[in-house]
Amino acid sequence: MKVWMQSCALNMNSPQAKTPTSISSLAFDPGVEVVWSGSQNGKVTGLAHPTYERIVRYSASTSPILNVIPSRHVVTSVSSTDISVHSRGGVLKSRWSLEECKKIECSAKLQNNSIVVSGEGKELFVVDITSKKITNRIPTMEGSRVLAKGHKVFFCGKDAGKVEIIDNTTLKPVGKPCNAHVGRVLDIASKGNYFVTCGELGADAGLRNGKPALDIFVRVFDIRTMRQLRPVNIRSGAIGCVFLPRFSSSVLLLAPNGRLTTFDANLGSVEYSSYNIQVQTMSRMSTFEVSPTGEMLAFGDEAGIFSVMVDRENARVTPFARPADPLPSPPIDYIPIDDENLPFCSNTILPPKRIEEETKAKFRGHGGWRGRPTSRASAPLCRWNIPIGTSSLYPLAPVDPSLVPEYRSLDALGSAPYPQGFRRNCTQSLAKFTATSSSTDKFRRSAASHRSFMQRSKRYRDRIPKSYARVKIKIPRFGLHTFDFSSYNSTNYSGLLNLLPNSYVVELCQVLYHIKPIRAYILNHLCMKELCITCELGFLFHMMDECKGATAEPRNLLRTLRQVKEASALGFVEGTESSLDTRLSVRIQGFCRFLLSHLSKEIARPGAVDVIRDCFEFRWQRRRQCIEGKHVDSGEELAMTVKLEYPRVRKKATFESLLESGLNSEKTQRVWCETCKTYRITKQSKTLRISPFLLTVNADINSETDLDLWRTPASAKAPKEKEHKEEEKDKKEENESIKEDTELEHWVPSKIRLGYDSKKERCLVERDTDDKVKSNLASYKLVAIISHVSDPPDTDSELNVYNAEHLTAHVAIKDSKGRDKWVLFNGFVISDSVLEDAIQFAKYSWKEPCILFYQRVSMEKKIAVPTRMNPIASLGLAAFLNPLSLSACAVLHRPRISPLRMNERVGPSMHVAIDCEFVAVEREETRVNPRTGKKTLVKPMRHSLARISLIRASGPDIGKCLLDDYIVGSEPVVDYLTRYSGIQPGDLDRSVSQHHLVSLKSAYLRLRYLADRGVTFIGHGLKSDFMLINIVVPKNQIFDTVDIYHIPGRRKLSLKFLAMHVLKLDIQGITHDSIEDARTAMMLYHRYRDLKQQGIFERALAHLYDIGDKHGFKT
């Protein structure tokens, strides 16, 4: 049960205010320890946690503030009359009002730079904050009072008590409005598959305390079925509701009198609430907000009292948030006479009033007073009577010498290069430099806070080696397929591109790929299920086999991962609401558990071997003891990962003890007891009985205290005496006994022993010291470790906007001699490494462990590696011979097809011409440099295969169409690119399309079948096409007319230009056609062979470039 404590209670009213002003909105900052509040008089205030000192206060509007939306650089405030954007320091950047919406009733954040607002009419307006324009209008019912954002949808509450659900992507209503309350809706909260509303009764219920009566029932709805679940009865009613961040379905309700109640949306009853607390207030509550960590609750009432409640001492606003910038020192109006920093002077320093009186009396006999004389407060420095010396009026704060190690001095002028991690002309950087002594207490507190911040952010000051750092890549003009990745990989191992959405999973794929049994079974798996992660992982492993040291792209795997509902619901898909609250190191640990269990479900077949379970699964001996009922329940549980359990009290601990605590878990909690048929306090214990072949250990680091254990420096081993064996190459050391050099023992062991002790009824873990002592425990060795690398803020890649952090993987790979060779995988950057570097965390402050993989030494003997099969040969041929269309239209318009025959020979002698068309499923994003105005592409447009055409280029049916398929994708199309693809809206719709529709996986299987059989492909620009299809075709099976008709060092020629001047054909008129382009590429290839046989191809190519230079390479 949580214990909430009141942290502060502040009066936000101005001392000059005659009447109190209500607090209308609250918001927690997403990146800084700051709480923002808006009031009814249009004021916005920023309060720094944990002191709640006011750091900024400004007037955002003359009307009440409805919503405060803080972001990384600016704070957007929405009032009933206008929208204003201020800097975090309160400087006004822009303010505008909407002509279409005279009075704004409510607002909500929609996307990064977009908000949705509602007025008194029947429309919602989507406003772009950057351009200050209305980008979309959403027709809706009249009387919108509440807007709330959910997962993929947002909710609109009405005066009539109805709730309308609108899709975020299409901006269209989803289903019919839900009837929630009789009166107006006051608040809406949403998370996962549920949304909760609280509201008022109708006008017939009358008024209470001058306000409409509240509905005592809180409504719970299931989004999937659009139906209302069991309502929750709250005696005093509720004016606000919110889902708690750390729980999946727990809802927090706020009553007008400050009473807080929680309930579970799944159970639908307040009897199962975890706590029931009262906020100390003397007025009616007006608003409240919960922090993203769930550790803080902020409240505001109608009397202008701001209060905060926390559930722990060191509560945080957001995970890993930086502290707020300190306030500058206040101006000093009066200088104390006894100030020790003031230099001695001959004049007496008097207060300003006394100076003025004495000067009036002095000039009374000389024509009277003509104004204030020149005094020390207003005279220039040359008129001051101060002796020249080295003292100064205000002491300068010295610079910390540790920050400028390369300091140089010349003629009393010091200079040093700007340290890494500091920004020029930034107050925060200046405060880091001068965070030393000062004469004011406020400056001392600010300096102390900055020093502590620098200690916490020390990882950013350490230089990250190139092998660990993220590579900054600027997108080439003609796409990523023109970028040379070979300079980042000098090994024979294939890298994976980590510049795509959800690419944090590639390091886990590398680990699974280098486990031989796992790789073999996944490569042998193939099914016809459209969304199968195991199949896509097998396709990726095949690409890594074919690349042989090049970089493979996991596009199809990541696309499938985005479409798996379980992965999206668990927050493993970037960009979803649930993934925003988790760090990358936490997300990869959860994704590892999900992936292993998901692969096991997909591989499991009747009579087939489930290699995932055989390798990773272990059994817990579970024991539950009901303390109140005095009965015991025991059984077995299955799991595939285990997490370390850290001591509650800070003390030294070994890795073995933490792992042993994790394998022998004990906890006491209140759960449902089947015997007592009620909730009872139960003591639960789990012990590992059967150990797996591959032990997956999650580091589960949740605090700096946990991380400090991993930072434990390596200790020296005691030297041991060993006798060297006889060696033929070195006869001098034969039969001699010498001492080994002193070795270092790291906190993370490279070898452990693990097993169950039946006497102690406990699983034991100990460090394997390679001694010859007999033990019944199984021996394990470390084979892989995935680590999280904290990227400095100023080294973010211009391309990889999806990940502000990244992961690396150390993997032990067997060499030709059977020895373990450690390799560091950092996306497409691959380098050789050693074991000491993999388990070293004390020297690398920017490195944090995530997952460790220990392999049982006897695994290679126990689990056999199956022989490699080729499932593509059967399923790929079946996809050719049984071309089933997914279109529901009865009449299909298709060109005459010469399909693949059953007895047709498919091999290297077969040539096909290919061309593909693509549509856009995600628009590109650009960034404008404010200094130069130049646009930089930060996220490229993401494409999906829409059409593929194959033309026979050899044999008796040369020139006939072998295949012409339209691809049905599961992602919504944002741009059909009709000018370049020829795809029209409706061509990919199963219900209305008159084309032959197939799934993306079916199209891939057909291409893989042809590529594996050695068929030669002819086309124009095949490198980019194969990259987007995500298939690897050997270079000796490709004839690309882009490379054939090309002189090195010159520009490449377009297909339209080549067709016009080589074949005398005019193609690509209004739109492109893939059959026409493929047939043109085939004719260009045949023309090339003819010119080559005549020996005039080089001369003809030079003449072709002369024509292009003359006409600007235009047709």
Side-chain angles (χ1 to χ4, degrees):
M1 180 176 180
K2 282 191 175 183
V3 178
W4 289 91
M5 304 169 291
Q6 187 150 351
S7 177
C8 80
L10 300 177
N11 189 351
M12 303 295 291
N13 296 303
S14 175
Q16 293 79 18
K18 297 180 180 180
T19 58
T21 304
S22 173
I23 298 176
S24 57
S25 63
L26 291 171
F28 286 93
D29 200 281
V32 186
E33 299 282 348
V34 173
V35 185
W36 298 90
S37 71
S39 61
Q40 286 287 339
N41 59 1
K43 302 289 185 182
V44 175
T45 307
L47 302 173
H49 173 74
T51 60
Y52 299 102
E53 183 180 13
R54 191 176 72 186
I55 59 173
V56 66
R57 182 181 176 89
Y58 57 89
S59 178
S61 177
T62 57
S63 56
I65 301 297
L66 303 178
N67 196 3
V68 179
I69 307 173
S71 60
R72 183 176 180 182
H73 301 291
V74 297
V75 178
T76 305
S77 54
V78 182
S79 67
S80 58
T81 56
D82 51 29
I83 302 172
S84 60
V85 179
H86 290 74
S87 68
R88 303 182 69 89
V91 179
L92 179 62
K93 290 183 173 292
S94 61
R95 178 185 287 125
W96 71 99
S97 59
L98 303 177
E99 297 181 357
E100 298 83 351
C101 185
K102 300 298 182 182
K103 183 180 179 182
I104 301 176
E105 297 290 344
C106 53
S107 65
K109 184 178 180 181
L110 188 60
Q111 294 176 354
N112 293 334
N113 296 322
S114 299
I115 60 174
V116 57
V117 299
S118 172
E120 298 177 343
K122 296 184 178 181
E123 281 185 323
L124 300 179
F125 304 97
V126 179
V127 183
D128 191 318
I129 300 175
T130 305
S131 62
K132 296 180 278 188
K133 295 181 180 179
I134 296 177
T135 57
N136 282 291
R137 297 170 182 260
I138 307 172
T140 181
M141 298 172 58
E142 189 175 1
S144 300
R145 294 296 175 184
V146 180
L147 287 172
K149 188 177 183 302
H151 176 57
K152 296 185 179 180
V153 295
F154 66 91
F155 305 87
C156 183
K158 307 295 179 178
D159 281 340
K162 295 186 178 182
V163 177
E164 198 169 7
I165 305 176
I166 300 174
D167 188 271
N168 283 341
T169 306
T170 61
L171 299 178
K172 294 182 180 179
V174 179
K176 297 182 179 180
C178 303
N179 294 320
H181 304 277
V182 179
R184 66 173 181 172
V185 180
L186 295 179
D187 198 5
I188 303 174
S190 171
K191 189 172 185 180
N193 298 321
Y194 302 98
F195 73 92
V196 180
T197 66
C198 58
E200 298 175 347
L201 296 176
D204 299 337
L207 300 179
R208 294 182 182 178
N209 297 327
K211 298 198 175 188
L214 298 178
D215 192 348
I216 62 173
F217 289 102
V218 175
R219 314 291 176 169
V220 183
F221 294 86
D222 193 330
I223 303 177
R224 295 168 294 186
T225 59
M226 301 294 291
R227 294 182 179 179
Q228 183 180 167
L229 305 180
R230 178 182 176 183
V232 179
N233 188 351
I234 304 297
R235 294 181 180 178
S236 58
I239 62 170
C241 56
V242 67
F243 277 85
L244 293 177
R246 294 190 174 183
F247 300 91
S248 59
S249 57
S250 295
V251 185
L252 184 66
L253 303 176
L254 176 65
N257 59 359
R259 186 74 172 176
L260 283 172
T261 308
T262 61
F263 75 95
D264 196 314
N266 283 327
L267 303 176
S269 176
V270 78
E271 296 177 357
Y272 309 110
S273 61
S274 57
Y275 48 83
N276 226 318
I277 58 178
Q278 175 71 43
V279 182
Q280 300 300 326
T281 179
M282 300 299 293
S283 178
R284 180 184 173 96
M285 304 301 294
S286 59
T287 182
F288 85 117
E289 189 65 39
V290 61
S291 67
T293 58
E295 302 171 1
M296 299 173 56
L297 301 175
F299 306 91
D301 60 13
E302 294 182 352
I305 304 300
F306 168 80
S307 57
V308 175
M309 301 190 76
V310 297
D311 65 346
R312 64 195 68 191
E313 293 183 0
N314 299 322
R316 303 294 299 272
V317 173
T318 55
F320 294 92
R322 62 181 180 87
D325 295 337
L327 285 174
S329 300
I332 302 176
D333 296 332
Y334 300 99
I335 305 173
I337 297 178
D338 57 348
D339 190 354
E340 58 182 6
N341 295 314
L342 186 66
F344 296 103
C345 62
S346 57
N347 295 347
T348 304
I349 301 178
L350 300 177
K353 291 185 179 180
R354 187 173 173 184
I355 292 176
E356 185 173 340
E357 292 175 359
E358 293 189 1
T359 310
K360 285 182 180 181
K362 183 177 180 181
F363 285 89
R364 195 165 293 161
H366 301 277
W369 172 253
R370 297 182 180 177
R372 187 172 181 178
T374 303
S375 63
R376 182 170 216 180
S378 60
L381 294 177
C382 60
R383 299 284 300 275
W384 285 28
N385 190 10
I386 298 179
I388 299 176
T390 56
S391 301
S392 58
L393 184 62
Y394 298 103
L396 295 177
V399 176
D400 189 355
S402 64
L403 299 179
V404 282
E406 301 180 11
Y407 173 79
R408 297 179 182 179
S409 178
L410 179 62
D411 296 335
L413 180 65
S415 64
Y418 219 70
Q420 184 180 6
F422 289 80
R423 295 183 178 179
R424 296 181 181 273
N425 304 324
C426 178
T427 57
Q428 185 176 358
S429 297
L430 296 177
K432 296 175 188 177
F433 275 120
T434 59
T436 53
S437 60
S438 179
S439 58
T440 60
D441 293 338
K442 182 177 289 187
F443 193 87
R444 287 195 185 98
R445 291 196 301 269
S446 302
S449 65
H450 271 288
R451 282 195 295 269
S452 62
F453 170 72
M454 286 303 298
Q455 290 174 1
R456 289 196 304 270
S457 302
K458 186 179 178 182
R459 65 181 66 183
Y460 293 138
R461 298 214 312 261
D462 297 341
R463 185 177 296 275
I464 301 179
K466 291 183 178 181
S467 56
Y468 282 95
R470 273 196 319 162
V471 179
K472 298 175 66 175
I473 289 182
K474 188 174 181 180
I475 301 179
R477 179 182 177 185
F478 298 102
L480 275 175
H481 64 277
T482 61
F483 187 82
D484 184 17
F485 292 98
S486 60
S487 58
Y488 298 98
N489 182 10
S490 58
T491 66
N492 295 325
Y493 308 107
S494 298
L496 293 176
L497 188 66
N498 59 349
L499 305 177
L500 304 171
N502 306 301
S503 59
Y504 71 95
V505 306
V506 299
E507 311 305 339
L508 182 58
C509 297
Q510 287 281 11
V511 174
L512 296 179
Y513 174 78
H514 288 94
I515 301 176
K516 291 184 178 180
I518 304 297
R519 180 176 69 221
Y521 276 98
I522 289 180
L523 283 172
N524 289 339
H525 172 85
L526 186 60
C527 64
M528 293 307 296
K529 183 181 176 182
E530 177 62 21
L531 299 178
C532 180
I533 296 182
T534 309
C535 289
E536 298 298 339
L537 199 59
F539 298 156
L540 178 62
F541 287 175
H542 171 77
M543 292 173 60
M544 296 171 69
D545 287 341
E546 296 294 331
C547 283
K548 298 178 181 179
T551 300
E553 299 187 16
R555 291 179 182 268
N556 289 346
L557 173 64
L558 300 181
R559 181 186 290 111
T560 304
L561 178 63
R562 283 193 300 270
Q563 300 168 10
V564 175
K565 295 181 179 180
E566 295 88 344
S568 179
L570 293 173
F572 302 135
V573 178
E574 294 177 351
T576 58
E577 181 182 3
S578 54
S579 68
L580 300 179
D581 299 333
T582 56
R583 293 179 294 123
L584 191 59
S585 57
V586 178
R587 200 185 313 158
I588 187 62
Q589 297 177 47
F591 178 75
C592 181
R593 293 191 298 267
F594 162 76
L595 181 63
L596 294 178
S597 61
H598 198 83
L599 293 179
S600 178
K601 293 178 183 178
E602 292 180 340
I603 292 179
R605 297 176 182 175
V609 178
D610 190 350
V611 66
I612 303 296
R613 285 191 173 185
D614 294 345
C615 292
F616 291 97
E617 190 177 71
F618 54 87
R619 297 189 177 184
W620 298 95
Q621 181 66 34
R622 175 183 51 81
R623 185 174 184 270
R624 294 180 181 175
Q625 180 181 0
C626 180
I627 298 178
E628 301 178 18
K630 305 297 182 181
H631 55 269
V632 179
D633 178 24
S634 61
E636 287 187 351
E637 289 185 5
L638 303 178
M640 293 188 182
T641 61
V642 63
K643 66 178 182 179
L644 301 180
E645 288 195 4
Y646 298 88
R648 296 182 179 180
V649 182
R650 183 171 183 176
K651 62 179 181 179
K652 292 184 178 180
T654 61
F655 177 87
E656 305 88 83
S657 63
L658 302 184
L659 179 57
E660 187 171 331
S661 300
L663 295 174
N664 302 279
S665 176
E666 295 182 359
K667 59 182 178 181
T668 302
Q669 60 181 2
R670 189 179 183 87
V671 297
W672 178 264
C673 180
E674 290 291 342
T675 305
C676 302
K677 299 300 180 181
T678 185
Y679 280 83
R680 296 289 191 183
I681 298 178
T682 307
K683 183 179 180 181
Q684 303 182 17
S685 62
K686 293 192 300 184
T687 304
L688 180 67
R689 292 295 302 271
I690 301 177
S691 57
F693 287 101
L694 281 167
L695 181 65
T696 307
V697 182
N698 288 339
D700 195 32
I701 298 174
N702 296 315
S703 64
E704 291 290 337
T705 305
D706 301 342
L707 190 57
D708 289 341
L709 293 175
W710 294 81
R711 305 273 190 244
T712 304
S715 58
K717 277 185 180 181
K720 297 181 181 180
E721 302 248 350
K722 284 189 178 181
E723 287 189 1
H724 284 259
K725 297 181 180 180
E726 297 182 0
E727 298 181 1
E728 298 179 358
K729 296 182 180 180
D730 197 349
K731 296 182 179 180
K732 295 182 180 180
E733 295 181 356
E734 187 176 2
N735 296 329
E736 292 183 0
S737 177
I738 63 173
K739 291 184 178 181
E740 273 191 349
D741 295 335
T742 302
E743 297 179 358
L744 293 179
E745 187 176 74
H746 294 272
W747 190 81
V748 180
S750 60
K751 296 180 181 180
I752 59 174
R753 292 174 180 170
L754 186 147
Y756 179 76
D757 191 344
S758 57
K759 295 182 180 180
K760 298 181 179 181
E761 295 184 352
R762 186 177 177 85
C763 181
L764 302 180
V765 180
E766 61 183 26
R767 187 182 292 258
D768 194 347
T769 56
D770 292 334
D771 51 13
K772 298 182 180 180
V773 179
K774 294 184 178 181
S775 176
N776 295 327
L777 306 181
S779 297
Y780 286 80
K781 63 178 181 179
L782 183 67
V783 294
I785 180 169
I786 297 177
S787 303
H788 171 264
V789 177
S790 300
D791 298 315
D794 58 337
T795 59
D796 284 348
S797 171
E798 295 182 354
L799 172 63
N800 195 355
V801 295
Y802 307 100
N803 296 328
E805 46 191 352
H806 73 284
L807 302 173
T808 60
H810 280 87
V811 183
I813 305 174
K814 295 285 186 182
D815 59 7
S816 58
K817 298 182 180 180
R819 295 175 298 186
D820 287 339
K821 176 184 177 183
W822 284 88
V823 180
L824 173 60
F825 293 93
N826 181 14
F828 55 86
V829 181
I830 304 177
S831 57
D832 295 330
S833 185
V834 292
L835 172 63
E836 288 73 16
D837 189 47
I839 61 179
Q840 177 65 262
F841 297 96
K843 297 181 180 179
Y844 302 150
S845 57
W846 37 263
K847 182 181 173 185
E848 177 184 336
C850 297
I851 310 175
L852 292 85
F853 296 86
Y854 284 91
Q855 177 182 316
R856 193 188 295 186
V857 176
S858 59
M859 174 181 169
E860 298 178 356
K861 300 179 180 178
K862 299 289 184 179
I863 298 182
V865 179
T867 44
R868 176 75 178 274
M869 297 185 297
N870 188 15
I872 297 288
S874 56
L875 291 181
L877 181 60
F880 262 114
L881 299 178
N882 302 310
L884 299 178
S885 177
L886 301 178
S887 177
C889 188
V891 180
L892 299 181
H893 296 288
R894 299 185 65 189
R896 296 191 60 180
I897 301 293
S898 174
L900 194 68
R901 295 177 292 274
M902 185 68 181
N903 57 352
E904 186 173 358
R905 185 176 180 180
V906 180
S909 60
M910 183 177 181
H911 290 57
V912 294
I914 181 174
D915 189 70
C916 306
E917 305 296 347
F918 301 88
V919 293
V921 294
E922 187 176 356
R923 300 185 186 276
E924 66 178 22
E925 291 185 9
T926 58
R927 182 183 302 162
V928 179
N929 191 329
R931 296 181 180 178
T932 62
K934 183 180 179 181
K935 286 187 178 181
T936 303
L937 185 63
V938 295
K939 186 167 70 172
M941 180 182 293
R942 193 159 56 85
H943 298 84
S944 179
L945 182 63
R947 184 184 181 185
I948 181 171
S949 300
L950 297 179
I951 303 296
R952 293 179 179 270
S954 62
D957 296 335
I958 186 172
K960 294 184 179 181
C961 186
L962 174 65
L963 180 74
D964 184 40
D965 290 339
Y966 285 73
I967 314 302
V968 178
S970 55
E971 294 181 286
V973 179
V974 298
D975 192 351
Y976 286 92
L977 304 175
T978 306
R979 172 67 180 85
Y980 307 100
S981 65
I983 306 295
Q984 300 285 346
D987 288 348
L988 307 181
D989 191 345
R990 302 189 185 198
S991 58
V992 299
S993 178
Q994 297 181 350
H995 302 285
H996 188 265
L997 298 180
V998 297
S999 63
L1000 179 62
K1001 189 173 184 179
S1002 177
Y1004 178 86
L1005 290 177
R1006 300 183 190 192
L1007 284 182
R1008 265 287 305 275
Y1009 173 75
L1010 297 178
D1012 291 352
R1013 297 300 295 266
V1015 173
T1016 302
F1017 293 91
I1018 302 170
H1020 190 83
L1022 293 183
K1023 188 174 182 180
S1024 62
D1025 288 351
F1026 288 151
M1027 182 194 71
L1028 294 176
I1029 299 173
N1030 209 201
I1031 188 173
V1032 174
V1033 180
K1035 293 183 179 180
N1036 58 353
Q1037 294 178 224
I1038 298 176
F1039 286 106
D1040 198 336
T1041 53
V1042 167
D1043 299 325
I1044 292 176
Y1045 290 89
H1046 178 240
I1047 297 178
R1050 302 291 301 273
R1051 61 166 292 172
K1052 294 186 177 181
L1053 305 178
S1054 66
L1055 183 64
K1056 185 178 180 65
F1057 180 84
L1058 291 175
M1060 175 64 71
H1061 296 284
V1062 177
L1063 304 176
K1064 309 303 180 183
L1065 295 177
D1066 187 10
I1067 65 171
Q1068 299 176 357
I1070 300 176
T1071 61
H1072 289 212
D1073 183 81
S1074 57
I1075 293 180
E1076 181 185 48
D1077 293 348
R1079 187 173 284 114
T1080 303
M1082 177 195 67
M1083 297 169 65
L1084 286 173
Y1085 172 69
H1086 291 160
R1087 180 60 176 165
Y1088 156 74
R1089 290 198 309 177
D1090 295 340
L1091 295 175
K1092 202 70 174 175
Q1093 291 178 359
Q1094 299 175 16
I1096 59 173
F1097 174 73
E1098 286 76 12
R1099 187 173 58 186
L1101 183 59
H1103 178 66
L1104 195 62
Y1105 270 91
D1106 293 340
I1107 297 176
D1109 293 334
K1110 183 178 180 180
H1111 299 283
F1113 293 94
K1114 296 180 180 179
T1115 57

